[in-house]
Amino acid sequence: MLRVVIFVVAIVGIFAGALVYGGERLGAWEEADPPPPSNLTPITREEKDEKDEGGSASAVAGSPTKMSPAKARWVRATNALCRRAREDTGNYEQPETLGDAEKLIAELQRKNQQYNDAFARIVPAREDRREVAQLLELFEKDERLVAALLTALREGDAGALLELNDRLTSVAQQESELLVGLGATDCDVGLVVPTY
């Protein structure tokens, strides 16, 4: 599931540099400096109602369309699963050693499989079966990548760790795009990136 994969990516990102350069040299075991404050304001665009020929306001482009009951059930169940995954993985503390990171990723690997299995049991709407099948394929791929990543961490193979981390990040992004495209807004990567 997306939340677990993003959490694994964050942990590996912390320790990849430690493997390459050594923890003391990087200061990997110390708290990171907070990001600088941003004084940028978001760019917003006013939307105007367009008038049709009869003079009544028509729907604004991009307005939500009505969902079928089956799709609404799928969206509710999937959002609930993503929220549960976020709550479940939000209780972990940052690992302080490579051994701690290995144990944590092994635990997260188990949870990832558990959440992927739970997602597979949610019956999709007929019109979304192809996209959900793609998601299930991506979830199988992220399980294989997390297993390979754990092996690379155990072997101290920093090169493989960095490559697998990049591939896992790409798969997580694809999962996020599909989930959000299907209406599961609580499964967005932007909402689930862990903070320490």
Side-chain angles (χ1 to χ4, degrees):
M1 174 104 316
L2 182 64
R3 164 66 183 175
V4 179
V5 169
I6 294 299
F7 195 69
V8 169
V9 166
I11 292 167
V12 170
I14 292 168
F15 288 98
L19 283 176
V20 174
Y21 300 108
E24 292 304 315
R25 187 167 162 200
L26 269 182
W29 314 133
E30 299 170 9
E31 289 292 319
D33 292 331
S38 174
N39 295 330
L40 301 176
T41 56
I43 297 172
T44 58
R45 183 180 322 154
E46 291 183 29
E47 295 185 24
K48 298 178 182 176
D49 287 345
E50 297 175 10
K51 301 276 184 180
D52 62 19
E53 291 176 7
S56 63
S58 65
V60 175
S63 65
T65 58
K66 186 165 174 90
M67 281 188 212
S68 69
K71 182 167 183 123
R73 279 190 296 276
W74 182 89
V75 167
R76 278 192 305 272
T78 301
N79 279 335
L81 182 63
C82 287
R83 285 190 304 270
R84 191 166 61 234
R86 181 172 45 240
E87 290 168 7
D88 193 20
T89 57
N91 296 328
Y92 291 106
E93 295 198 16
Q94 180 179 343
E96 295 184 11
T97 66
L98 287 173
D100 290 344
E102 180 184 324
K103 288 177 189 173
L104 180 54
I105 291 175
E107 169 69 14
L108 291 170
Q109 178 186 31
R110 184 185 63 76
K111 286 189 180 293
N112 190 47
Q113 291 170 344
Q114 177 185 5
Y115 285 117
N116 288 347
D117 291 345
F119 175 81
R121 290 190 295 271
I122 301 172
V123 179
R126 179 174 300 188
E127 64 268 21
D128 295 334
R129 288 183 181 159
R130 186 173 22 148
E131 289 87 354
V132 171
Q134 290 173 340
L135 271 169
L136 292 172
E137 289 175 14
L138 287 170
F139 287 165
E140 287 178 18
K141 189 173 186 177
D142 77 41
E143 285 183 15
R144 290 190 304 270
L145 288 170
V146 171
L149 194 137
L150 185 57
T151 300
L153 185 63
R154 288 177 174 151
E155 294 173 355
D157 187 346
L161 196 63
L162 293 171
E163 177 193 342
L164 289 164
N165 199 43
D166 287 345
R167 290 173 57 196
L168 195 55
T169 301
S170 174
V171 168
Q173 184 62 43
Q174 292 172 55
E175 291 173 1
S176 175
E177 289 170 5
L178 276 171
L179 284 162
V180 171
L182 287 167
T185 55
D186 287 350
C187 301
D188 180 26
V189 169
L191 299 175
V192 297
V193 175
T195 56
Y196 294 113

